Amino acid sequence: MSGQKVLIIGAARSGIAAAKFLLNQGAVVALNDRKPLDEWSPEALALKELGVGLLPGDPPGWLLDRIELVVVSPGVPANIIPIRYAERAGAEVIGEVELAARYLKGRIVAITGSNGKTTTTTLIGELLRDAGLPNVQVGGNIGTALISMVEDSRDDGWTVVELSSFQLETIKTFHPAIATVLNVTPNHMDRYETFNDYAAAKHRIFMNQTVEDVAVLNADDETVSSWASGLRAKVMWFSVRRELEQGVFLRGGELMFGEQVLLNVNDLKLRGLHNVENVAAAFAVGIAAGASIEAMAATAKRFNPVEHRLEFVAEIEGVRFYNDSKATSVDATLKALEAFARDAGKVVLILGGRGKKAPYEPLASLVRSKVRKLVLIGEDAETIANELGEFARSERATNMNDAVTRSFKSAEKGDVVLLAPACASFDMFESFEHRGKVFKSAVADLK
C-alpha cells in the first residue's frame, strides 16, 4: 500500500479504523463523508493531525480521477455516482471487511443473518475461547472494526466476525473457514430493490469457500436451506423444528448432536425459541471448529443475554421492562413477542422509528392475541398505526421518556413493557445502542 492514493467513503467507525490502518501501511489517505465537518466525530476530525485529508460533501472529480483504491463504509451504497465514477477511472472498490481480510492471519468464522447475529457471534466467541482454542478475537458488525483486529491476529488464531449484508456487498477475496447464515427475512428493503437482492448479498458469505471449509445452514429457513446444493463447502445443519441426521437439532427440551445430548434448553438464561436457534447455530459452528462439547455446554449455560437483545431491565410494581432495541426489523420484533407468548401477562409494545419499507402485517396475529397496547414513536408511527391499529389500542409518544411513562400507565401487574421497535433508530437516536440506553435510563428514572 505504500504510496497508494486511497479514498475512504464514510467517516464513521469502520472508516476511521481503515484510515488509521492505511496510514500505517504508508498510503496517502483522504476521508470523505457527506456530512459537514461540524457534524463529524472528534475521532474523525483528529485524523487530520495524522495526515489524512478530510473531505466533506461529494468528492471532486479531479480527486476521483487520481484515486487507486476506494474503501467503502457499510452504510454507503456501493452504487452511488462518485464510487462508480472512481471505478470507471480505474480505482479498485472494496469495503473495510475486504481490506482486513487481505491482512488477517489465522482462520475466520463468519456469521450473518437477518436476526440473531450479535447474540450468536458473541456466544461463538465465548464457546471457542472457553474450549481452549487459541487466540480467539471477536468483531466486525458487532462493534469492533475488523481492520483494527489485524494487528492482534495470529497464524494459529481464530477471528469470529459478525457481518451485515452491506459489508458482504463489497467482499472479493474474504474467505471464512466456517460461515453461517442464521436466517433471511425481509429487511433493509429501503436499500434493496427486491428480497432476492437482499438474500443474494447474504449468500456472498460463501463465495470463496472451498471443500475444506464448512457452511452452517438453518434447515428451518426456506431460503437458506435452498442454498445447500450449490455450495462447495461441507454443510452442517441446525434446526429447532425437526431432527437431523447431520447437525444440531432440538428434541423435546434438549439440544442434540446425533444421539449426544448437548444441553437442556431450560438451563439457558436466554429467552425464546429464536435464542435456542442461535445456540444451536453456535454449537454447530463450535463442533465444526473442533471445540469440546462439554466445555461449550458449560459456557452456554452461564451465557447472559447481550445488551439490547431481550435484555431484562427492571421490575416496577409487578411490571417487567425488557430492552430489545436491536429488534430493528419486523421479524426481530415478531421473535421478541414470541418469547413472551406463554407468559400469563400481556405486552405493552413500544414500536417505531425509521421504517425499512417492510410491511408490519406479520405482527398482526401476535399483536391481537398478546399486546395490550402499542406505544408508537418516530417517523413510522403513522404507518404502524394504519397497519396494526385494528389489532390493538395504540397511542403516540413524543420521545422515549414519554413512551416509557405511557407504557407503564397502560400496563397491569404481570405485564411486560417491551421495547422492540421493528425500525432503525436514526430518526431519533445515534444508533440502536443509544436508543436502548435512553430506554434503560427512562426506566431507571421511573423506578
Side-chain angles (χ1 to χ4, degrees):
M1 295 302 303
S2 182
Q4 278 205 38
K5 300 179 183 67
V6 183
L7 175 65
I8 299 170
I9 299 183
R13 183 169 50 203
S14 67
I16 293 167
K20 291 178 179 177
F21 178 84
L22 288 164
L23 274 180
N24 289 334
Q25 297 295 316
V28 180
V29 181
L31 180 63
N32 168 249
D33 198 289
R34 282 189 168 176
K35 295 178 181 177
L37 282 176
D38 59 8
E39 295 181 19
W40 289 33
S41 69
E43 294 81 7
L45 293 172
L47 292 172
K48 184 177 182 180
E49 302 301 318
L50 302 177
V52 174
L54 306 184
L55 295 171
D58 288 332
W62 63 263
L63 176 70
L64 296 173
D65 284 332
R66 300 180 186 184
I67 291 298
E68 296 166 82
L69 177 67
V70 178
V71 179
V72 188
S73 295
V76 180
N79 61 355
I80 63 172
I81 289 174
I83 294 175
R84 290 164 57 194
Y85 182 101
E87 196 166 26
R88 284 198 300 269
E92 183 182 20
V93 177
I94 61 173
E96 173 260 329
V97 166
E98 172 62 23
L99 178 66
R102 298 179 181 186
Y103 293 89
L104 271 173
K105 299 174 183 175
R107 284 167 286 187
I108 296 172
V109 176
I111 301 98
T112 195
S114 300
N115 300 301
K117 294 188 294 296
T118 298
T119 294
T120 308
T121 301
T122 305
L123 177 56
I124 289 170
E126 294 196 16
L127 293 181
L128 300 190
R129 195 177 288 124
D130 292 353
L133 274 68
N135 300 306
V136 177
Q137 53 180 357
V138 179
N141 193 56
I142 199 171
T144 303
L146 192 59
I147 194 68
S148 65
M149 300 167 68
V150 167
E151 186 176 352
D152 291 332
S153 64
R154 299 291 179 265
D155 289 332
D156 64 343
W158 293 81
T159 297
V160 181
V161 53
E162 176 189 321
L163 295 171
S164 69
S165 59
F166 298 170
Q167 290 170 312
L168 288 165
E169 289 174 14
T170 50
I171 63 169
K172 291 184 178 180
T173 64
F174 177 80
H175 178 187
I178 305 171
T180 182
V181 178
L182 302 174
N183 43 64
V184 183
T185 56
N187 197 2
H188 300 298
M189 302 318 294
D190 51 340
R191 172 131 162 182
Y192 298 99
E193 289 189 14
T194 67
F195 173 73
N196 286 340
D197 292 336
Y198 169 60
K202 294 290 190 187
H203 187 275
R204 288 173 61 82
I205 198 170
F206 304 118
M207 64 185 280
N208 294 312
Q209 285 197 300
T210 71
V211 294
E212 303 297 320
D213 303 317
V214 178
V216 175
L217 302 182
N218 186 348
D220 304 330
D221 187 290
E222 183 178 353
T223 300
V224 175
S225 60
S226 72
W227 295 341
S229 61
L231 301 180
R232 291 186 293 273
K234 297 183 288 288
V235 173
M236 167 86 83
W237 296 98
F238 66 93
S239 172
V240 296
R241 305 193 185 281
R242 59 190 177 94
E243 297 192 7
L244 304 168
E245 290 185 10
Q246 292 182 320
V248 176
F249 61 90
L250 185 63
R251 176 189 287 168
E254 295 176 325
L255 272 184
M256 309 288 295
F257 179 64
E259 291 303 311
Q260 183 171 5
V261 177
L262 302 177
L263 55 75
N264 190 304
V265 297
N266 291 326
D267 294 333
L268 296 170
K269 296 181 180 180
L270 300 171
R271 287 188 68 108
L273 186 62
H274 68 291
N275 271 321
V276 175
E277 191 173 70
N278 294 336
V279 174
F283 266 86
V285 169
I287 291 167
S292 155
I293 287 174
E294 292 74 17
M296 289 195 294
T299 299
K301 289 174 185 176
R302 62 175 178 264
F303 182 78
N304 289 307
V306 178
E307 189 179 16
H308 312 301
R309 282 88 175 166
L310 272 185
E311 174 193 12
F312 174 72
V313 178
E315 182 172 330
I316 305 174
E317 296 179 13
V319 177
R320 290 169 293 145
F321 290 78
Y322 281 85
N323 166 29
D324 200 20
S325 183
K326 186 60 173 67
T328 58
S329 69
V330 172
D331 190 62
T333 299
L334 183 68
K335 287 179 167 61
L337 280 174
E338 287 173 343
F340 298 99
R342 296 182 182 180
D343 288 16
K346 293 275 192 175
V347 174
V348 179
L349 180 62
I350 301 175
L351 271 178
R354 179 161 294 169
K356 298 180 177 180
K357 297 187 178 179
Y360 296 97
E361 185 276 333
L363 297 172
S365 177
L366 270 173
V367 167
R368 181 193 287 116
S369 64
K370 195 63 187 173
V371 171
R372 186 177 301 282
K373 181 176 277 188
L374 299 171
V375 178
L376 306 179
I377 59 173
E379 289 178 0
D380 237 25
E382 184 175 352
T383 301
I384 296 169
N386 290 337
E387 294 190 30
L388 297 178
E390 66 179 286
F391 305 108
R393 292 181 299 129
S394 67
E395 59 182 271
R396 309 288 177 86
T398 55
N399 54 43
M400 187 61 77
N401 277 26
D402 186 34
V404 168
T405 301
R406 289 173 182 270
S407 297
F408 182 61
K409 286 180 179 178
S410 299
E412 298 181 6
K413 189 173 182 178
D415 282 357
V416 164
V417 172
L418 172 64
L419 171 67
C423 294
S425 58
F426 302 116
D427 56 337
M428 298 170 67
F429 306 96
E430 295 172 8
S431 61
F432 75 83
E433 294 99 334
H434 180 215
R435 176 170 61 190
K437 289 181 186 299
V438 172
F439 172 76
K440 291 197 291 183
S441 177
V443 174
D445 290 344
L446 184 67
K447 191 171 184 179

